[in-house]
Structure formats: C-alpha cells, structure tokens
Amino acid sequence: MGPFRVVRPADMLVVDIALVNLRFDGGRLVRREPAAPTLIVVGLPPQHVMEEIPQNPDPAAGPLRSVKAFASEASQLVFSVPPEVDSLSLSLASLLDWERLVPMTVPVVQPGATPPTGLPGSVLEFPTRLLLTYDEPVTWVCPSEPRNPDGRTGLWHALLSSERGGEALLRALGRADGRASVPSRFPLSAADLEDLVILTSRAELIDTAGAPIVLPSAPLRAEQFIATPLGASAHLHGAWDKADPSVGPRLEAIGRHRPEVAAYDHITGLGRDQFVRVVIRGFLSTGHPALLVSEFKRRFVAHRDNGIVAYLRQEDRIVLREPEVSYGESTGFPHQAREMPFRALRVTDRVTPLLKPAWPPKPADRPEAQPEARQPFWVELESGGDHQFTLLGTDHEGRQVSFTTPLVFVPDSKAGDVDALESLYASAETKEKGRLDRPLGGQVMAMAQPPADAPGSTSHAVGRLSFAMSRKVAGGEHPLAGTLVVSGAEVRVPALEPFTPKAGEVPVVFNAVYRDHGMAAHPARAYLDLVDAIGLDFAAEKVGGLARPNAAVKVITSQAGVVPDVFEPDANGGVGAADITRIQKAFGAAKLLGFIDLSALVGPVLTQDLDRLRQLGDNEIQALLDAEGGTIPAPVLRVRDLADAQGRELRYVWKTKLVPPDPPPPGGTLLDVSDAVLTLDARTVVSKEAGEETSVEGRLRDIALEIAGVARVEIADLRFKAAPGNKPDVSASGLELKFLGELRFIDTLRSALPADAFGSGAFVDVQPSGIRTGYALAVPDVPLGVFALTNVCLKLELDIPFVPEKAISFRFSVSERQRPFNVTVTLFGGGGYFSMLVDAEKGIREAEGAIEFGGGAALNLGVASGGVTVMAGVRLEVRDGAVKVGGYLRCSGFLSVLGIVTVSVEFYLELTYEKHGNESVVRGRGTLTVSVKIAFFSKSVSLELERSFSGAPGDPTFVDCFDRETHWEDYCLSFDGDP
C-alpha cells in the first residue's frame, strides 16, 4: 500500500506510513504473500537542526545577528511484521503499536559479500548529515493515543531502547552526500562525521593491495533517544581507541584520512543542540600526546534589545594525555637527538584555559567534495595571545630547567604532514611574535652530553633558547613527522668574560662536527660554536708587550675550553688540518711586540697537532709547556674550580712555533722567526677573599729583529712575568747586535761591547707604555804618545712599546752632540759624534753626525810673534724625511810686532744642502774679517757674501718632455711595426 501521511494535531503527530506486502481485505490488513517479508515503513520529520556557532563569543552584548541553521532530512523507520501476527487492524493505534513489531536495521556489508536487495532498513539522520542505524536489536515504544493526564496534552514521541531495555547501540552508515556544503563553524565538521562513520560502521576498508585495513570500531551508545515531530531529544556518546599509525598512508591511498576522533558526546532537546563534545586526538609539537576537547554549550543570556536569547558557545581546551616524553638516539631526530639538549620534556599544564577556536578548512562547495581534515595550529587563548605552556626540561646530567613556550597542536591525521609543521614554524607571523625564542633567565643546563672524565664541562647559564622544526628521519620513534630542535641559544661563557667587553650571554649554535658525528669526532670535543667569533682583548700591560694574542675564538669545547676556529671538516665528517686562510682569520687581531701581525707568523695546524687537544688536563698542559718540543696548537681558554671551592681559575695557555710569512711582505720581514717559539700562560683567579688576581708568564725564544736593513738584534730568550702585587719582571738573554749594509763598518766598534750586552750592566725600564732596555759604555781615555782619544761613549737602546700606535725602535750612538769625542795627534786635532734612530715602520727616523778636524801653529821671534789656525768640519742630519748636509772651513791668523802693531785675519766659509720632500736648496755663506790695532787705535772691517740656489720641485713629467703637436706622433710611430 502506497505511503500516506498521518497528522494528529492534538499531540502534533506527523508521520508518513507505507505498507509492504499488506492489503486491506475490507476489515483488516492481511499479507499478500504469506512467505514474503511484511514491512511497515514509517517516515519521521527531521530530527535535528544544525546551528552555526557565532563568531562573537558573547553575541548578547552587541547587536543581535541571525545565525545560519540547516535541518536534517526525514528519518526512516522500518518494522517487520512477525510471522505470528496474521493481520493488523487498519487503525492508527495498530500501526503505532511498534512494540510487537521487529525494527529492521541495515545489514553490515563485509568485503566480498553480496549486499541484500529489496529489504529497506531503518535510517536515522542524526545529527544532520550523519546516517545512523541499529547495531543490535532494539525496540520502539510510542503512545498510540494522545495523553493528557493533567489536562495538558503531551507531545507525541517514540522512545528507542535496546531489546533488553537499556541504552541502544547505533552505528553510522555514512554521510548524507549530494547536498551543498555548509560553512565550517558548526559543532561537527565533515571530517568529524567521516570519522564517526569509519569508527562505528563495522565495515572493513580495503587498501589498494586488496588487504583489509583494521581500524578500532565501537558503536555509539544512545543513553536516550526520543523521536518527536519537533526533533529528537537524545544523548549519544562514544569513545574509541587510537588507530595504528601505519594505517594512515593506506587510508590516504584510498582517499580517506586516519580517524582522529577519540570521544563524542551529543545532547539535544527537540532537535536543538544543548551540549556537544568532540575530542580530537593529536600531539603537541614537542611530541606529547594530547586531546583537543571542543565543547559546544547552549547558553541563555539576557539581550539588551531582544530579551532572552540562546545560542551555542564553543569552548576549546587541550588536555595532556602523557605529560612527559623522552628523547634519545632512536626517537627520530636527524642527528641522534644531539640538536635537542633535553633528554625529557614534561608539560605541567594538564588542561589549558579556554582557547581560540581553530576551525577546519571549509570543503569545496560541491557534493562530492572530500571532507577537509583539521590542520595543525598554534594554541592561542580565547582572550588573545599564545598560550604559554610551562615545560620542565631534563638535560644530559639530570638537571631540570623550566621555561614557557607556545606550541602547535597537531591533529592525529596530520601527524605525518611535516610540510604543514615546517610552514607554521617558518612563517613570518611566527617570527614576528617571537614564538621560537624562549627565555631561560640564566638557568644552568648541559648543552651536550659531557665526557665521562669531564662532568659539568658542557654546562652553561642559558639566557635564551631558539627552537626550529626539523624533519624526522625514517624509522624514528617520534610520533610526528617533524621534531622540535634547538637551533641556537644565548649562553654565558665564563672563559670569555675577562677578555672581552662582550661579556654576558653570547649567541651560539651547535658545532657542525658534533651535530653530525658526535663529540668524539672532534679533536677538542667541541659542541658549540659562537655565532660571531669574539676577539680576545688582552691589555698590553697584562701580557708584557711580548705578544698580544688577540685571537678570534669561536669553538667551545668540553676538553680544551674555548679555542679559535682552526678546524677544517674533512670529507668523512671528521676534522682535519685547517688551511692557512682560516688560521690567519682566527688570528687577524693578534700582535707580536706590539705591532707585528702575528697571524702572518702562525703556521698551519696539522692533523697530528689537533690530537693534542683531545686530552688537555692541567698535568698535560704543564707537560707540554715544559717539554722542549711540546706545542699547544691553538690558544686554549679553560675555567676550573679551585680545590678549596673558594673561587674559580681562568687559564689562557698557548705554545706555538712561529713560521716566516709566505710570501714575504714587500720590503722584507722585520722579524726573523725561523726558530722562534711563543709561549703564553695567563691565569686569573677570582675568589671571595682576594677578588680578581691575574698572573702572566710569557716567553719568546730565538728571534731576531732586522731594523731598516741597518741593524740586526738577535735575542735567544725574552721573558716576561707579572704577578699580583709585584712589578712586571722582564729579562732577556743571549742578545747580540750586528750592523748591516753600508753601516757594517760600525760593527768593528762592537768589540768594545761586552759579549752579553744585556748582562748585569744592562738597564731595563718597565713602564705602563712599554719596555726600554739597552746598554751604555763610557770608553776610558786613551793617551798614547802624540795620540789621545778622549770622551768616547758607546750606547744602544731597544724600545718595545705595548701599544700598537708605536713601533719597536732601535737607537745606536757614538757619543752625543752635547758631548762629542775628541782626538788629537801632535798639532792636529778634532772630534765628532754619531747617532741613529730607526723603527720598524718608517725605517730611519733620525740620523745625525758630525766630524771636525784641523790644526794650529804659533811662532815667537821676540820682535814679532804670531799664529795660524785652520779648522774644517762636516755635519749630516736626517729627521722625519728631511735631509740637511753642511760643511765649513775656518782660517784665522794674527801677527804682532813689538806689541805695537797687531793684525788679525779670519776667513769663514760655509756650504749647506737641505732637502724637504721634493724641494731642495743649497746655501753658501762667506765672511772675511780683518782687524788692525796700532797703539791706541784699532779698526775692524768685515765682508760678507751669501747665496742660495733652489732646485726643481721634482723631475720633469712625461708631458713636460713632449710637445703634443710635433713630438707625440713621432713618439707613437717609433713603437709601430714588428720588432
């Protein structure tokens, strides 16, 4: 019998009824065919209305805005008339007597089975777009007549329960396809409905290889389900185990996603939602299993314009399932978790405050669109801003540090989508909000696993950690396709603080060799690199001026402290010898003797030399310092606690062989270091009682200084020692002076010097600006017959400044201008002096000398007496590039006759050459003076003459030598043609 509609206004009953295999024989409904199924099909009005969630969390506070709503379609109940019922009365009461009928379900179709045909089953659309049927026998109870026991007629309703009288079990057949998509702001998204179908339908899925996909399955439990003409009043709930992660790719291959719904609760009244809870299984980006709990509650509030309004409010929270996760070599980190300094992370937030809803993307507006899964999202608070999770990290030494950080929630279905995670962590918004840089406030933690023989050697006070997302390696145990790693940090390095104004927290990253191959692969057990190399700022007065090894340190090691970056990765991932370019870059600011570039004198670090950095305890360091051929290839900064635990000692130590620069600089080298060895050992002790005390020992062996090609000073051993409360002690031994080039003739004067010029007679003057050391020798007067040599003094002086503004200088002099030496041979005599000052930058700065010679004779005959004197001299002066050369001749004589007449004559001639830059001048001056004295009368006459000649400012230029009109063409043609 075709469907017909029954409407009973008294209790608002509206149903559509269709009869299958029943006919009316005039009095009752009887079977058409006794052996055929006999069914009563009941169509119910829509049982659910899906309402949009307002975007404003409190819409009652502002203008009232309508929300979108979508009603479900009609539900269908199918009842089978049992065989023992021969006929039915054609009355509404008989057709609504469902207790004696058998509710029909839709059978589960397993893979390979033939689906039944011709027998409809009961299908309830609840909630909207989800189609349900019975998972076990059920019963329906409904009143056949209106009920009004207290004078009020009750709404017609039908109660669903299990056949045993308890809660009914339901399963989802599928989603109601073929309809236009709806906006995403609804309690149940299309992805949630798809998950409910997968988790409750009991139908097996087949992968592309034809194998079944095993998924957790459990029916929905209906604690209450009452169908009414105005919609169902229901309470459904369900909970499911986690799907095996391995089924995710197999599901994606057939166009499905791994189900992520962990629990579902739904309470409605007359078809309108009162409470909906959807629990999504997922992870925090740290790998902690977590649940996203979304609750939708009907809220009744008083609106200022419209009275009482009711709307759905969404409340999202994240609940931690496992508060602690462990990290290790097999947990999927690209470098065996060396880029994650924590061995475990514990999240102390068991439940977050209310969060800003993160809606899944809206599916395409077409019926066949696949539901879009939820995407990873930053956990943000409803009140605004990121939620700061509190984490307790356990480092390599079991020490715990706490910090806060925003995290990403990753739905279970997106656990394998590393691109989504990386894009979130690399986005401009993430960097702008500072989500990746987390302050630690100076907490001490181990940045790497320390060696067994050096506990605590990798611990630092950390001011900041920077995080990044990295791809998990295949086979790792980490639940996500991406792992959260530490990409950088700001830490305190105590060894650097006494040497640099950049004391405090410095940015660091993990050393590449350590990260890729472990600490054992590095010769010095490095684990961190400074982002920017820091030059050590040694005060000159603290290192004696012998050397200022201001190397740029960059590598932080567990065994050798902080060292320059002299390590070159080899093809196998280890460390080999560094090239000279890297060495010179590391020592670019280092100085020797105040001004010599030390980087040009540091040789390459060989692979076998690097092995010495593997074990550098205090005993090993001292043994290398004492050994004749022992070296420490790179400067080492170390910090250790004092034995009495009353302070700390910082030690800087370096011992290296110097090598001549290759290629040599233009003009030759100042310093000969063919056999030189530089040693520096500085200790700074910081204690409560004494404060900070620094002691320094320096040594420079077997060096030679060649200054301006005129002098060579060879020093066998130059030492410096400074101790707290004492004057710096500088000593030198094995010093020898040699003259070179055109001044080699002066070298014969060295025989007058002692063999060791810096012996007991030497002077050493140590000042804050540098060291001045030398020797002065006064040669005794030498009388030998008619020969006499007097007033001779030999002096040499070496000045080693501490500051780079001044260069090392050397002065040698034979007597001085103020006290020249004197030489007489019979009636001839003379004298002179010589002084020369040269430095390493300008060469000859000052040079001056003079020599004077002449003779005199006197004659007395009684009647007449007289005398004559002739003197000549030459003087040379070179000062700051200006040259002055002069010579003179002075002749004088007198004659006296009987004391009455006296005549004297004096002749003086001087010639001077001066040069300043490109300008030169020659000056000549002559004077003749004649004096006559007769008795009481005297008269003197002088004649003077002076001339000067200026030279050209320089040589003529090329243009001056050619006439462009006549000579230039001839000049060019002279080069034309084949040679």
Side-chain angles (χ1 to χ4, degrees), residues 817 820-825 828-834 849-855 869-876 886-891 908:
R817 179 170 51 180
F821 63 84
N822 296 317
V823 180
T824 59
V825 180
F828 297 100
Y833 65 92
F834 176 77
I851 189 168
E852 188 178 51
F853 54 89
T869 302
V870 179
M871 297 295 294
V874 178
R875 184 175 183 273
L876 168 68
Y888 72 92
L889 173 65
R890 184 172 68 244
C891 303
Y908 179 81

Side-chain angles (χ1 to χ4, degrees), residues 337-362:
R338 285 186 288 270
E339 65 273 67
M340 171 54 79
F342 298 111
R343 298 299 85 199
L345 279 179
R346 171 178 286 271
V347 179
T348 62
D349 308 69
R350 300 307 297 268
V351 180
T352 66
L354 290 180
L355 304 178
K356 177 183 177 181
W359 295 96
K362 178 183 175 182

Side-chain angles (χ1 to χ4, degrees), residues 531-712:
V531 173
D532 299 312
I534 294 180
L536 303 182
D537 187 13
F538 280 88
E541 63 274 11
K542 288 189 176 182
V543 292
L546 304 184
R548 297 186 65 186
N550 299 334
V553 294
K554 189 172 184 179
V555 182
I556 303 176
T557 72
S558 64
Q559 199 65 24
V562 188
V563 298
D565 186 14
V566 295
F567 309 101
E568 185 75 19
D570 59 24
N572 300 322
V575 174
D579 59 10
I580 193 65
T581 303
R582 185 184 291 259
I583 298 293
Q584 291 178 350
K585 182 178 180 181
F587 295 94
K591 298 296 180 183
L592 189 66
L593 297 177
F595 67 98
I596 299 174
D597 185 5
L598 185 58
S599 65
L601 307 178
V602 178
V605 180
L606 303 179
T607 303
Q608 55 267 29
D609 297 330
L610 295 178
D611 295 335
R612 297 191 186 98
L613 297 176
R614 292 187 182 275
Q615 297 293 335
L616 277 184
D618 291 338
N619 295 334
E620 290 79 9
I621 288 177
Q622 195 59 46
L624 291 173
L625 292 178
D626 296 338
E628 185 67 23
T631 61
I632 300 174
V636 172
L637 283 175
R638 295 173 55 88
V639 177
R640 69 179 183 91
D641 295 325
L642 299 179
D644 55 2
Q646 296 299 312
R648 308 189 78 186
E649 179 191 70
L650 172 80
R651 189 176 187 184
Y652 176 97
V653 60
W654 188 26
K655 184 179 181 182
T656 182
K657 294 181 179 179
L658 303 181
V659 297
D662 185 21
T669 59
L670 167 68
L671 192 65
D672 184 359
V673 294
S674 302
D675 301 314
V677 177
L678 172 65
T679 303
L680 190 66
D681 187 3
R683 300 171 187 255
T684 299
V685 176
V686 180
S687 61
K688 297 180 180 179
E689 292 78 9
E692 180 178 318
E693 295 182 343
T694 300
S695 61
V696 180
E697 292 187 20
R699 186 179 184 186
L700 191 57
R701 293 186 300 162
D702 299 326
I703 64 169
L705 294 168
E706 292 190 5
I707 306 173
V710 299
R712 177 183 174 90

Side-chain angles (χ1 to χ4, degrees), residues 127-484:
T128 304
R129 305 290 176 94
L130 184 64
L131 305 179
L132 301 178
T133 190
Y134 321 127
D135 193 59
E136 66 174 11
V138 298
T139 182
W140 285 94
V141 178
C142 62
S144 58
E145 299 292 341
R147 297 179 179 180
N148 50 359
D150 57 356
R152 291 180 294 181
T153 302
L155 182 68
W156 179 88
H157 59 276
L159 175 63
L160 174 67
S161 61
S162 72
E163 194 176 47
R164 298 182 301 275
E167 57 187 20
L169 302 183
L170 304 174
R171 57 186 173 85
L173 298 173
R175 294 184 298 123
D177 294 328
R179 307 180 196 174
S181 61
V182 297
S184 59
R185 299 182 64 85
F186 286 85
L188 290 173
S189 67
D192 297 335
L193 298 178
E194 181 72 12
D195 284 357
L196 293 177
V197 173
I198 295 175
L199 295 170
T200 65
S201 65
R202 295 191 182 277
E204 290 186 357
L205 299 175
I206 304 300
D207 63 12
T208 55
I213 301 175
V214 179
L215 292 170
S217 180
L220 289 171
R221 296 182 175 272
E223 294 183 5
Q224 173 184 288
F225 195 95
I226 303 175
T228 75
L230 299 181
S233 295
H235 183 184
L236 305 183
H237 68 88
W240 299 272
D241 295 331
K242 182 181 178 180
D244 190 330
S246 63
V247 305
R250 298 168 64 193
L251 287 171
E252 293 176 359
I254 63 174
R256 304 227 180 186
H257 70 272
R258 184 170 61 190
E260 58 195 14
V261 174
Y264 165 61
D265 287 272
H266 204 146
I267 300 176
T268 61
L270 299 180
R272 299 191 68 191
D273 294 329
Q274 305 302 314
F275 176 82
V276 181
R277 177 191 290 124
V278 180
V279 180
I280 302 299
R281 187 179 285 107
F283 302 90
L284 297 179
S285 50
T286 51
H288 290 79
L291 300 173
L292 172 61
V293 180
S294 297
E295 294 182 345
F296 306 86
K297 302 176 181 179
R298 179 74 62 183
R299 182 178 179 186
F300 293 83
V301 296
H303 192 272
R304 64 187 182 186
D305 299 323
N306 301 87
I308 302 298
V309 297
Y311 63 94
L312 288 175
R313 169 179 168 81
Q314 181 176 359
E315 297 179 354
D316 281 2
R317 294 178 176 85
I318 289 179
V319 179
L320 265 290
R321 293 175 56 207
E322 296 180 19
E324 183 170 307
V325 295
S326 298
Y327 305 123
E329 296 182 0
S330 61
T331 51
F333 286 85
H335 305 288
Q336 297 183 345
R338 285 186 288 270
E339 65 273 67
M340 171 54 79
F342 298 111
R343 298 299 85 199
L345 279 179
R346 171 178 286 271
V347 179
T348 62
D349 308 69
R350 300 307 297 268
V351 180
T352 66
L354 290 180
L355 304 178
K356 177 183 177 181
W359 295 96
K362 178 183 175 182
D365 192 13
R366 49 192 178 92
E368 64 273 20
Q370 276 297 111
E372 292 287 342
R374 297 176 186 268
Q375 298 295 319
F377 61 89
W378 286 102
V379 180
E380 298 181 82
L381 297 174
E382 183 183 62
S383 57
D386 295 321
H387 173 62
Q388 302 292 331
F389 288 88
T390 301
L391 274 66
L392 290 177
T394 303
D395 68 4
H396 293 273
E397 295 187 306
R399 188 187 296 108
Q400 283 194 337
V401 297
S402 64
F403 61 97
T404 61
T405 181
L407 294 174
V408 170
F409 178 80
V410 184
D412 193 63
S413 63
K414 289 294 181 178
D417 190 353
V418 67
D419 293 332
L421 264 177
E422 286 186 330
S423 64
L424 277 176
Y425 269 86
S427 68
E429 179 186 10
T430 294
K431 296 178 181 178
E432 181 182 348
K433 292 185 176 182
R435 289 166 166 162
L436 305 182
D437 296 332
R438 307 316 306 157
L440 261 70
Q443 298 178 82
V444 177
M445 62 173 288
M447 295 298 293
Q449 176 68 48
D453 58 347
S457 59
T458 61
S459 296
H460 296 268
V462 181
R464 175 185 61 83
L465 287 179
S466 296
F467 291 93
M469 185 58 60
S470 179
R471 291 176 179 262
K472 184 185 75 170
V473 297
E477 299 174 0
H478 198 277
L480 300 177
T483 57
L484 195 63

